[in-house]
Amino acid sequence: MLLVTCPYCGPRPEIEFRCGGEAHIARPAEPSKLSDKEWAEFLFVRTNAKGVFAERWNHAHGCQRWFNALRDTASDRFIQTYKVGEKRPDRTPGQERL
Amino acid sequence: MLKTSHAAHRDLSLPIEQPVTRPDTKAQVVIRPLPAQARFSLRLNEADLEGAQTAAGVTLDIPINTRSGSAERSSIRLGPNEWLLTGPYDDAEVIASQIDAALSGRFYTLVDVSHRNVGITVSGRRAAEVLNSGCPLDLAEAAFPTGMATRTLMGKAEIVLMRLDDTPTYQVECWRSFSTYVRDYLIEAAREFEPSIA
Amino acid sequence: MDQAYRLPEGGRIDRKKPVSISFNGQTVQGYAGDTVASALLANGIHLVARSFKYHRPRGIVTHGSDEPNALLDVDRGRGRSDPNNRATVVEVFNGLAVASQNHWPSLDFDVGEVNDLLSPVIVSGFYYKTFMWPRTFWTKVYEPRIRAAAGLGRAPTVADPDRYQYRHAHCDVLVVGSGPAGLTAALAASESGKRVIIVDEQAELGGSLLHDVTSLIDGIPAQDWVRQAVDTLDSRANVVVLPRTTAFGYYNHNHIALAERVTDHLADPSSNLPRERLWQVRAKQVVLATGSHERPLVFADNDRPGIMLAESVRAFINRYGVAPGRQIVFATSGASAYTAAADAKAAGLAVSVVDVRSEAECGPEVAQLRSMGCEVLTGHTVVASRGRKRVTGLIVAPVSADGRVGARRTLRCDCVGMSGGWTPAIHLFSQSRAKARYEPSLDAFVPGTSVQAERSVGAAKGAYQLGECLRQGWMAGAEAAEHVSERTFDATNSPAGFKPVRVLPTDVNPKRLRAFVDFQNDVTAKDIRLAVREGFESIEHVKRYTTTGMATDQGKTSNMNALGLVAGTLDRPIPAVGTTTFRLPYTPTTFGAFVGPSRHHLFDPIRTTPIHEWAAAHGAEFENVGLWKRAWYFPKAGEDMHAAMARECKAARTSVGIFDASTLGKIEVVGPDAAEFMNRIYTNAWLKLEPGKCRYGLMLKEDGYIMDDGVVARLAHDRFHVTTTTGGAPRVLAHMEDYLQTEWPDLKVFLTSITEQYAVIALQGPKAREVIEPLVTDIDLSPGAFPHMSVRTGFICGIPCRLFRVSFTGELGFEINVPSDYGQSVWEAIFERGKPFGITPYGTETMHVLRAEKGFIIVGQETDGTVTPDDLGLSGLIAKTKPDFVGKRSLSRPDIVSAGRKQLVGLVTDNPNEVLEEGAQIVMDPNQTIPMRMVGHVTSSYWSSNCDRSIALALLAGGRSRMGSRVYVTTPTGFTTAKICEPVFFDPAGERVNA
């Protein structure tokens, strides 16, 4: 079970959280202006990266806040968690912490 | 809050007359459903806390996942913009009006959840072990001292867990319909320490 | 039995506490402190099992959890039976009953042994090669027959009567294993005051030191040192000592699972104690001091009862005071067996040694043992063993450097202690996702670079010297606790080192050689070579083809021999062949430990409403809706469900029905931007809804499909009381929070669940108003002042309430929200007041029928996550003027606007008494060829007492353009016919609701 560091509550066990998939996919401001293809991409297409991946997490059974995390999908190590609205930290795979 | 001519009476989710375990001082763990309380969910953005550090007799400007106040009135900060406020049941209207007075002019919301939540205390030498049967958090003194309070899990039920004193006494709050499950889960976990449990 | 093989002194057993157990019905005496294995051996019982495939007689091979052979059925009484327990780890107590497995009619005479004669045929891959044709036999003949013939123990037939518990724990340092390295690690780590947990699978701490009677540590005997170390740990409040606890799984982020066996060793445990406790430990640092496993030697008939590991001979003698034989031959390729031999000799047993190493390859251990008067044959191989149900001799022969085998000689014996070297137990290290590294000097995989906050020490890391184990443990413990503390230990060095030999040199025809590599799976060296010859080169493939390393022991004793054999046959270095993945659990773990307390009433939370007690007292049958128990129907004496429902349905339409709707999800949406938020989340328009009014709201997911629905009341300009479906409540709140927090954080609105703040009493029927009128204060209930789809706050029975005038039945209706604690009392007052009107409590089934009569949908019944508003004829609920809301853009996706989508219709059967099955498929022509073209399915179907016929709702391709057509609907026996109609069966004009 992962140990997830909530930016508000600190390290907490994974069962208190829900993972919300890839982060930084903003809902288009004016969906009606998107073509069917563009809209389908927004809805359905995700990167499914091996390695460092920015994803959404919700501390569902804690403070109930959404936040983002950089996680290495191969090793399951978290590189960093950060609040909604903050920029994705610029990190490379070598900088993971144990 | 009640009109004088009320015909209806209360039926608490858990009977409170009897503690579940022996209440004597030798007991290693005592589980006790709490009587009714006034409870409010207060939501206020962190930025609006400035100048409203206290309200309704409790401190709001406290670290996330801590509790301040007394048995009479307390504020529990469950997140950056969420507090659970508690007080005696009959004080509900007073608390609401005091909050309104203290926070007027700011964007906040106050929702009465007095009947949504049920409280159970777990106290005694073995209390933390009993709670750790279903709660995944570190309850050691250093990690969860008196004054800590957070939403978490007890088995398959969501709870708010707070440590009230150094006995230690913990308070478990859950939604009403989960209260029998949470109580029974605690009883099952306490059984090995407190064979007097029925 | 008289314990004829119990040594006159020695061991850690308590000779003052005799214990009797039964083995296959026969009484066996032992002492407290014995395992079943040591008690059986004390009575000269070696034959304890029949092997898995060939039913060969088998004995006890090891003294610990790596035991491959001695699997017993254990019966602790009162329904506590458990198969496949290793005799070497089951502690004895009075009344324990164990039995051998996998034989018929008896252990001594097992007809299955015929398989052994067929062994030239039953080679690896036998099943795959033999049971190929005909294909129809795969599932009907081969698999059931093979399954019946295979398998070991028998599963218990009654429910497990024991309790099980969970425990979550945290520590700074978790030490796994309590041998010399584990003990010093725990001592050093705990010196600093940090929180330490030390676990060991055995009943006592000490590991290998528990059977070491000659070593000195810092000048005192090893076992005295252990006692001091354990006393020190026990005295430290910051240390949790967990014996009888197996660390069986190493998960992410130093999350370790432990299985603690709390009561299995007790004759009469308190019923308040859990049998086992599953610990989930989150450790800042982990020290793995898991020791090592001894390897058997591979030679012909090396599986005779009486042939065991050399270190195990030593353990039975020193720890349990048991002589596994009186005349013991140690066969070895390394030095450690000499320590065992010396201890056996010191215990007064006849001892000789056969060492496959040449005299020059050996160390001083040879001379030492010879000086004790033991014969040592260096440069000798073991050709075979003699005996059948017990070893009677070992056939040995000199072997030259080039492998030529000389003249045979038989050494008479009743026990053989074999040692083919040692394998570090890197299972947990490997589970931590770290990669093992092959170390040629040890002929073993050892821990490579750690990937979690973990350190391996001692024999688990390939350190076989006592002093080195103590030192490594101390250092790792101190480092893990970030505690600077240097210590050296003055300890006896025991001889170590071995020469890896995969299969002992032999003069036996290799085709006839029955030399076992994996005892538990009856895999021989020949099987493995065959697999390689047939092209299986990866060890993972060889494992699956031959089954070596599988089953309960997961090849703890056999893996390195098998790996070496594959590498040797392929003439490749071992790292090129690789090693199999070590999967959890380390040793078999009971289902009970995983299930924990989650059984019976604690399996899942059982959510009940504030009115539950009343419903139960009034005879309600309940149904599960999510975690809720909801009143399903209220049968009167003599009524079945059908009759009760028919009565309840009638009552709601002719007088008044009362229904507990408390489980509906309720969310309070508050803030100056509340209406804007609602506008974006729901398809409907909210900005102009006046306070005091209600609206039926429809919510889509971003993909355009219906997610939830419910009535929403605007209590004030900035406050909405939203209702959701019962099952959808948590999902809807999470959906709203997600958008609010991540997409529209600028909106000034907060959401609070009030589902359980209010009990909801639905009162439906023409008499509803009359019933509540005298109870309600501060609200004008007249139709003009309080029309359909409005909300008011006031009082009922003196209790503040939110009173909705809404209807899910098509009748005049109210939904009364009162604070939960008052729910039952208010319900009772209404019920009492309604009696003169014939007020009738109804349950969810009647609710379903009443709404279906009106064609009202239920999300999750008429929808399945692929249904759009238009599919249900609800396009009118989509605000055309709103530029955007969640899901809007998707409603113009090509596949959502395409023709031929399934649409909601009503169905009436030609036979009005026939009730269709929900989920039944619909076709237009029942005579078409199979597979038929299915055009839709029935979503809801009931007997309607109000319509006096059956009614059904269905989703049907192009349904709205097929009104009046006849369709064919599947039944359990074929097809029936129905006609498509509008999905409203009662009061189509909808006038009754405005009464």
Side-chain angles (χ1 to χ4, degrees), chain C residues 172-173 175 182-198 218 225 228-229 231-240 470 473-489:
Chain C
D172 295 299
V173 183
V175 179
L183 283 176
T184 52
L187 286 169
S190 60
E191 210 174 49
S192 64
K194 294 250 169 120
R195 288 191 289 168
V196 174
I197 298 177
I198 177 168
D218 290 343
W225 183 88
Q228 287 180 10
D231 286 348
T232 304
L233 292 174
D234 280 337
S235 72
R236 290 182 179 161
N238 56 323
V239 181
V240 175
L470 294 163
W474 184 275
M475 206 170 76
E479 280 175 9
E482 295 168 318
H483 167 61
V484 183
S485 175
E486 293 267 335
R487 259 207 72 174
T488 53
F489 294 87

Short mmCIF file of all heavy atoms in Angstrom, two decimals, chain C residues 172-173 175 182-198 218 225 228-229 231-240 470 473-489:
data_model
loop_
_atom_site.label_atom_id
_atom_site.label_comp_id
_atom_site.label_asym_id
_atom_site.label_seq_id
_atom_site.Cartn_x
_atom_site.Cartn_y
_atom_site.Cartn_z
N ASP C 172 9.80 2.88 13.70
CA ASP C 172 10.98 3.45 13.05
C ASP C 172 11.77 2.34 12.39
O ASP C 172 12.27 2.51 11.28
CB ASP C 172 11.84 4.18 14.08
CG ASP C 172 11.11 5.39 14.64
OD1 ASP C 172 10.77 6.28 13.86
OD2 ASP C 172 10.84 5.41 15.86
N VAL C 173 11.90 1.22 13.10
CA VAL C 173 12.68 0.11 12.54
C VAL C 173 11.90 -1.19 12.75
O VAL C 173 11.52 -1.52 13.88
CB VAL C 173 14.06 -0.01 13.23
CG1 VAL C 173 14.86 -1.13 12.58
CG2 VAL C 173 14.83 1.31 13.15
N VAL C 175 12.40 -5.14 12.39
CA VAL C 175 13.42 -6.17 12.20
C VAL C 175 12.69 -7.49 11.94
O VAL C 175 11.86 -7.91 12.75
CB VAL C 175 14.32 -6.30 13.45
CG1 VAL C 175 15.36 -7.39 13.23
CG2 VAL C 175 14.99 -4.97 13.76
N GLY C 182 19.33 -10.49 13.63
CA GLY C 182 18.10 -9.79 13.96
C GLY C 182 18.12 -9.27 15.39
O GLY C 182 17.69 -8.14 15.67
N LEU C 183 18.63 -10.08 16.30
CA LEU C 183 18.67 -9.64 17.70
C LEU C 183 19.57 -8.43 17.88
O LEU C 183 19.19 -7.46 18.54
CB LEU C 183 19.14 -10.79 18.60
CG LEU C 183 18.09 -11.87 18.90
CD1 LEU C 183 18.70 -12.99 19.73
CD2 LEU C 183 16.89 -11.27 19.64
N THR C 184 20.77 -8.47 17.29
CA THR C 184 21.64 -7.30 17.47
C THR C 184 21.08 -6.08 16.76
O THR C 184 21.22 -4.96 17.25
CB THR C 184 23.08 -7.58 16.98
OG1 THR C 184 23.03 -8.08 15.65
CG2 THR C 184 23.79 -8.57 17.89
N ALA C 185 20.40 -6.30 15.64
CA ALA C 185 19.78 -5.17 14.94
C ALA C 185 18.73 -4.52 15.84
O ALA C 185 18.67 -3.29 15.98
CB ALA C 185 19.13 -5.63 13.64
N ALA C 186 17.91 -5.34 16.47
CA ALA C 186 16.86 -4.79 17.35
C ALA C 186 17.48 -4.14 18.58
O ALA C 186 17.00 -3.10 19.04
CB ALA C 186 15.89 -5.90 17.74
N LEU C 187 18.53 -4.74 19.11
CA LEU C 187 19.18 -4.16 20.29
C LEU C 187 19.75 -2.79 19.96
O LEU C 187 19.53 -1.81 20.69
CB LEU C 187 20.31 -5.08 20.78
CG LEU C 187 19.88 -6.37 21.50
CD1 LEU C 187 21.08 -7.30 21.68
CD2 LEU C 187 19.24 -6.05 22.85
N ALA C 188 20.45 -2.70 18.83
CA ALA C 188 21.07 -1.43 18.47
C ALA C 188 20.03 -0.38 18.14
O ALA C 188 20.12 0.77 18.59
CB ALA C 188 22.00 -1.64 17.28
N ALA C 189 19.00 -0.79 17.38
CA ALA C 189 18.00 0.19 16.96
C ALA C 189 17.21 0.70 18.15
O ALA C 189 16.85 1.89 18.22
CB ALA C 189 17.05 -0.43 15.93
N SER C 190 16.95 -0.16 19.11
CA SER C 190 16.09 0.25 20.23
C SER C 190 16.87 1.01 21.29
O SER C 190 16.28 1.70 22.12
CB SER C 190 15.41 -0.97 20.85
OG SER C 190 16.37 -1.88 21.33
N GLU C 191 18.20 0.89 21.26
CA GLU C 191 19.03 1.61 22.23
C GLU C 191 18.75 3.11 22.14
O GLU C 191 18.83 3.84 23.12
CB GLU C 191 20.50 1.35 21.88
CG GLU C 191 21.44 1.39 23.05
CD GLU C 191 22.84 0.96 22.63
OE1 GLU C 191 23.34 1.49 21.61
OE2 GLU C 191 23.42 0.11 23.31
N SER C 192 18.41 3.55 20.93
CA SER C 192 18.24 4.98 20.71
C SER C 192 16.89 5.49 21.20
O SER C 192 16.64 6.68 21.18
CB SER C 192 18.32 5.25 19.21
OG SER C 192 17.23 4.58 18.58
N GLY C 193 16.01 4.58 21.59
CA GLY C 193 14.67 5.00 22.00
C GLY C 193 13.67 5.03 20.85
O GLY C 193 12.50 5.28 21.05
N LYS C 194 14.16 4.74 19.64
CA LYS C 194 13.24 4.72 18.50
C LYS C 194 12.30 3.51 18.62
O LYS C 194 12.61 2.53 19.28
CB LYS C 194 14.05 4.60 17.21
CG LYS C 194 14.89 5.83 16.94
CD LYS C 194 14.36 6.60 15.76
CE LYS C 194 15.02 7.94 15.65
NZ LYS C 194 15.72 8.13 14.39
N ARG C 195 11.19 3.60 17.93
CA ARG C 195 10.21 2.52 18.00
C ARG C 195 10.65 1.35 17.12
O ARG C 195 10.87 1.52 15.93
CB ARG C 195 8.85 3.02 17.52
CG ARG C 195 8.19 3.95 18.52
CD ARG C 195 6.76 4.19 18.13
NE ARG C 195 6.66 5.02 16.94
CZ ARG C 195 5.54 5.18 16.25
NH1 ARG C 195 4.45 4.53 16.60
NH2 ARG C 195 5.51 5.97 15.20
N VAL C 196 10.76 0.20 17.75
CA VAL C 196 11.25 -0.99 17.06
C VAL C 196 10.21 -2.10 17.17
O VAL C 196 9.62 -2.30 18.24
CB VAL C 196 12.58 -1.45 17.68
CG1 VAL C 196 13.04 -2.78 17.06
CG2 VAL C 196 13.66 -0.39 17.49
N ILE C 197 9.99 -2.80 16.07
CA ILE C 197 9.20 -4.03 16.11
C ILE C 197 10.11 -5.14 15.62
O ILE C 197 10.76 -4.99 14.58
CB ILE C 197 7.94 -3.94 15.22
CG1 ILE C 197 7.02 -2.82 15.72
CG2 ILE C 197 7.19 -5.27 15.21
CD1 ILE C 197 5.78 -2.60 14.83
N ILE C 198 10.21 -6.22 16.39
CA ILE C 198 10.98 -7.37 15.92
C ILE C 198 10.04 -8.56 15.84
O ILE C 198 9.28 -8.84 16.78
CB ILE C 198 12.22 -7.67 16.80
CG1 ILE C 198 12.95 -8.93 16.29
CG2 ILE C 198 11.88 -7.76 18.28
CD1 ILE C 198 14.32 -9.14 16.89
N ASP C 218 30.64 -13.26 23.30
CA ASP C 218 31.20 -12.42 24.36
C ASP C 218 31.43 -13.23 25.63
O ASP C 218 31.14 -12.78 26.76
CB ASP C 218 30.30 -11.21 24.65
CG ASP C 218 30.32 -10.21 23.49
OD1 ASP C 218 31.25 -10.29 22.66
OD2 ASP C 218 29.42 -9.37 23.43
N TRP C 225 23.23 -15.84 25.99
CA TRP C 225 23.29 -14.52 25.35
C TRP C 225 21.92 -14.16 24.77
O TRP C 225 21.46 -13.03 24.89
CB TRP C 225 24.37 -14.52 24.27
CG TRP C 225 24.54 -13.19 23.61
CD1 TRP C 225 25.36 -12.16 24.01
CD2 TRP C 225 23.85 -12.72 22.44
NE1 TRP C 225 25.23 -11.09 23.17
CE2 TRP C 225 24.30 -11.40 22.20
CE3 TRP C 225 22.90 -13.29 21.60
CZ2 TRP C 225 23.84 -10.64 21.12
CZ3 TRP C 225 22.42 -12.52 20.53
CH2 TRP C 225 22.90 -11.22 20.31
N GLN C 228 19.58 -13.03 27.50
CA GLN C 228 19.87 -11.66 27.92
C GLN C 228 19.36 -10.65 26.90
O GLN C 228 18.78 -9.62 27.24
CB GLN C 228 21.38 -11.46 28.10
CG GLN C 228 21.91 -12.14 29.35
CD GLN C 228 23.43 -11.94 29.51
OE1 GLN C 228 24.03 -11.14 28.80
NE2 GLN C 228 24.01 -12.66 30.44
N ALA C 229 19.60 -10.97 25.64
CA ALA C 229 19.17 -10.05 24.57
C ALA C 229 17.65 -9.90 24.58
O ALA C 229 17.11 -8.79 24.49
CB ALA C 229 19.64 -10.57 23.22
N ASP C 231 15.63 -10.47 27.11
CA ASP C 231 15.23 -9.73 28.32
C ASP C 231 15.40 -8.23 28.13
O ASP C 231 14.55 -7.44 28.53
CB ASP C 231 16.06 -10.20 29.52
CG ASP C 231 15.63 -11.58 30.00
OD1 ASP C 231 14.55 -12.05 29.55
OD2 ASP C 231 16.36 -12.20 30.81
N THR C 232 16.51 -7.87 27.50
CA THR C 232 16.75 -6.44 27.26
C THR C 232 15.67 -5.86 26.36
O THR C 232 15.10 -4.80 26.65
CB THR C 232 18.13 -6.24 26.58
OG1 THR C 232 19.13 -6.84 27.43
CG2 THR C 232 18.44 -4.77 26.38
N LEU C 233 15.36 -6.57 25.29
CA LEU C 233 14.32 -6.07 24.37
C LEU C 233 12.98 -5.98 25.08
O LEU C 233 12.25 -5.00 24.93
CB LEU C 233 14.22 -6.99 23.14
CG LEU C 233 15.43 -6.97 22.20
CD1 LEU C 233 15.25 -8.02 21.11
CD2 LEU C 233 15.62 -5.58 21.58
N ASP C 234 12.67 -7.02 25.87
CA ASP C 234 11.39 -7.01 26.59
C ASP C 234 11.30 -5.84 27.57
O ASP C 234 10.22 -5.32 27.82
CB ASP C 234 11.20 -8.33 27.36
CG ASP C 234 10.73 -9.46 26.45
OD1 ASP C 234 10.15 -9.14 25.38
OD2 ASP C 234 10.94 -10.63 26.80
N SER C 235 12.45 -5.45 28.11
CA SER C 235 12.43 -4.40 29.13
C SER C 235 12.30 -3.02 28.51
O SER C 235 12.06 -2.04 29.21
CB SER C 235 13.71 -4.46 29.96
OG SER C 235 14.81 -4.01 29.18
N ARG C 236 12.45 -2.92 27.22
CA ARG C 236 12.40 -1.60 26.58
C ARG C 236 10.99 -1.30 26.10
O ARG C 236 10.43 -2.02 25.27
CB ARG C 236 13.38 -1.52 25.40
CG ARG C 236 14.83 -1.52 25.88
CD ARG C 236 15.82 -1.40 24.74
NE ARG C 236 17.17 -1.36 25.29
CZ ARG C 236 18.28 -1.61 24.59
NH1 ARG C 236 18.18 -1.91 23.31
NH2 ARG C 236 19.45 -1.55 25.17
N ALA C 237 10.45 -0.20 26.59
CA ALA C 237 9.06 0.14 26.26
C ALA C 237 8.90 0.49 24.79
O ALA C 237 7.78 0.46 24.27
CB ALA C 237 8.60 1.32 27.13
N ASN C 238 9.99 0.82 24.13
CA ASN C 238 9.90 1.22 22.72
C ASN C 238 10.02 0.03 21.78
O ASN C 238 10.12 0.21 20.57
CB ASN C 238 10.99 2.25 22.40
CG ASN C 238 12.38 1.75 22.74
OD1 ASN C 238 12.57 1.06 23.75
ND2 ASN C 238 13.36 2.07 21.92
N VAL C 239 10.02 -1.20 22.34
CA VAL C 239 10.18 -2.38 21.49
C VAL C 239 8.91 -3.24 21.56
O VAL C 239 8.40 -3.52 22.64
CB VAL C 239 11.39 -3.23 21.93
CG1 VAL C 239 11.54 -4.46 21.02
CG2 VAL C 239 12.66 -2.40 21.92
N VAL C 240 8.42 -3.64 20.42
CA VAL C 240 7.34 -4.62 20.36
C VAL C 240 7.95 -5.92 19.85
O VAL C 240 8.55 -5.94 18.77
CB VAL C 240 6.21 -4.15 19.41
CG1 VAL C 240 5.15 -5.23 19.26
CG2 VAL C 240 5.60 -2.86 19.93
N LEU C 470 26.39 -11.06 13.92
CA LEU C 470 26.12 -10.19 15.06
C LEU C 470 26.53 -8.75 14.72
O LEU C 470 25.81 -7.79 15.00
CB LEU C 470 26.90 -10.68 16.29
CG LEU C 470 26.46 -12.05 16.84
CD1 LEU C 470 27.54 -12.63 17.76
CD2 LEU C 470 25.13 -11.93 17.61
N GLY C 473 24.25 -7.13 12.01
CA GLY C 473 22.95 -6.81 12.58
C GLY C 473 23.03 -5.53 13.39
O GLY C 473 22.21 -4.62 13.23
N TRP C 474 24.04 -5.47 14.24
CA TRP C 474 24.18 -4.28 15.09
C TRP C 474 24.34 -3.02 14.25
O TRP C 474 23.67 -2.01 14.48
CB TRP C 474 25.39 -4.45 16.04
CG TRP C 474 25.50 -3.30 16.98
CD1 TRP C 474 26.12 -2.10 16.75
CD2 TRP C 474 24.94 -3.20 18.29
NE1 TRP C 474 25.98 -1.27 17.83
CE2 TRP C 474 25.26 -1.92 18.79
CE3 TRP C 474 24.18 -4.07 19.09
CZ2 TRP C 474 24.86 -1.49 20.06
CZ3 TRP C 474 23.79 -3.65 20.35
CH2 TRP C 474 24.13 -2.38 20.82
N MET C 475 25.18 -3.12 13.25
CA MET C 475 25.46 -1.96 12.43
C MET C 475 24.20 -1.50 11.70
O MET C 475 23.86 -0.31 11.69
CB MET C 475 26.54 -2.31 11.41
CG MET C 475 27.35 -1.13 10.95
SD MET C 475 28.77 -1.70 9.99
CE MET C 475 28.00 -2.13 8.45
N ALA C 476 23.48 -2.47 11.12
CA ALA C 476 22.27 -2.12 10.37
C ALA C 476 21.21 -1.54 11.30
O ALA C 476 20.52 -0.57 10.96
CB ALA C 476 21.72 -3.35 9.65
N GLY C 477 21.09 -2.12 12.50
CA GLY C 477 20.10 -1.62 13.46
C GLY C 477 20.40 -0.19 13.86
O GLY C 477 19.52 0.66 13.92
N ALA C 478 21.69 0.06 14.12
CA ALA C 478 22.08 1.40 14.53
C ALA C 478 21.87 2.39 13.39
O ALA C 478 21.31 3.47 13.59
CB ALA C 478 23.54 1.40 14.98
N GLU C 479 22.27 2.01 12.19
CA GLU C 479 22.10 2.91 11.05
C GLU C 479 20.63 3.18 10.78
O GLU C 479 20.24 4.31 10.50
CB GLU C 479 22.72 2.28 9.79
CG GLU C 479 24.22 2.43 9.71
CD GLU C 479 24.80 1.68 8.51
OE1 GLU C 479 24.00 1.19 7.66
OE2 GLU C 479 26.01 1.57 8.46
N ALA C 480 19.83 2.13 10.87
CA ALA C 480 18.40 2.31 10.60
C ALA C 480 17.78 3.28 11.59
O ALA C 480 16.86 4.01 11.26
CB ALA C 480 17.68 0.95 10.65
N ALA C 481 18.30 3.27 12.81
CA ALA C 481 17.76 4.18 13.83
C ALA C 481 18.51 5.50 13.84
O ALA C 481 18.29 6.33 14.74
CB ALA C 481 17.84 3.52 15.21
N GLU C 482 19.39 5.68 12.89
CA GLU C 482 20.23 6.89 12.82
C GLU C 482 20.90 7.14 14.15
O GLU C 482 20.84 8.22 14.74
CB GLU C 482 19.39 8.12 12.42
CG GLU C 482 18.85 8.00 11.02
CD GLU C 482 17.79 9.05 10.71
OE1 GLU C 482 16.93 9.29 11.59
OE2 GLU C 482 17.84 9.60 9.61
N HIS C 483 21.55 6.11 14.63
CA HIS C 483 22.07 6.10 15.97
C HIS C 483 23.52 5.62 15.85
O HIS C 483 23.76 4.53 15.34
CB HIS C 483 21.22 5.11 16.79
CG HIS C 483 21.78 4.73 18.11
ND1 HIS C 483 22.02 5.64 19.09
CD2 HIS C 483 22.12 3.51 18.61
CE1 HIS C 483 22.49 4.99 20.16
NE2 HIS C 483 22.57 3.71 19.89
N VAL C 484 24.44 6.45 16.25
CA VAL C 484 25.85 6.09 16.09
C VAL C 484 26.26 5.19 17.24
O VAL C 484 26.24 5.59 18.40
CB VAL C 484 26.74 7.35 16.07
CG1 VAL C 484 28.20 6.96 15.81
CG2 VAL C 484 26.24 8.31 15.00
N SER C 485 26.55 3.96 16.92
CA SER C 485 26.96 3.03 17.97
C SER C 485 27.76 1.91 17.34
O SER C 485 27.26 1.16 16.52
CB SER C 485 25.72 2.48 18.67
OG SER C 485 26.10 1.50 19.60
N GLU C 486 29.00 1.85 17.69
CA GLU C 486 29.89 0.80 17.17
C GLU C 486 29.94 -0.33 18.17
O GLU C 486 29.99 -0.09 19.38
CB GLU C 486 31.31 1.37 17.00
CG GLU C 486 31.42 2.43 15.93
CD GLU C 486 31.83 1.83 14.59
OE1 GLU C 486 32.46 0.76 14.61
OE2 GLU C 486 31.48 2.42 13.55
N ARG C 487 29.91 -1.55 17.68
CA ARG C 487 30.10 -2.67 18.60
C ARG C 487 30.72 -3.82 17.85
O ARG C 487 30.38 -4.09 16.70
CB ARG C 487 28.77 -3.11 19.22
CG ARG C 487 28.56 -2.59 20.63
CD ARG C 487 27.67 -3.51 21.42
NE ARG C 487 28.32 -4.77 21.78
CZ ARG C 487 27.76 -5.66 22.58
NH1 ARG C 487 26.56 -5.47 23.06
NH2 ARG C 487 28.40 -6.78 22.87
N THR C 488 31.63 -4.50 18.52
CA THR C 488 32.11 -5.74 17.94
C THR C 488 31.70 -6.86 18.87
O THR C 488 31.40 -6.63 20.05
CB THR C 488 33.64 -5.74 17.80
OG1 THR C 488 34.20 -5.42 19.07
CG2 THR C 488 34.09 -4.73 16.76
N PHE C 489 31.65 -8.04 18.34
CA PHE C 489 31.25 -9.19 19.14
C PHE C 489 32.33 -10.25 19.05
O PHE C 489 32.88 -10.49 17.98
CB PHE C 489 29.93 -9.76 18.62
CG PHE C 489 28.78 -8.82 18.80
CD1 PHE C 489 28.50 -7.86 17.84
CD2 PHE C 489 28.00 -8.87 19.96
CE1 PHE C 489 27.46 -6.98 18.01
CE2 PHE C 489 26.94 -7.98 20.12
CZ PHE C 489 26.67 -7.04 19.15
#
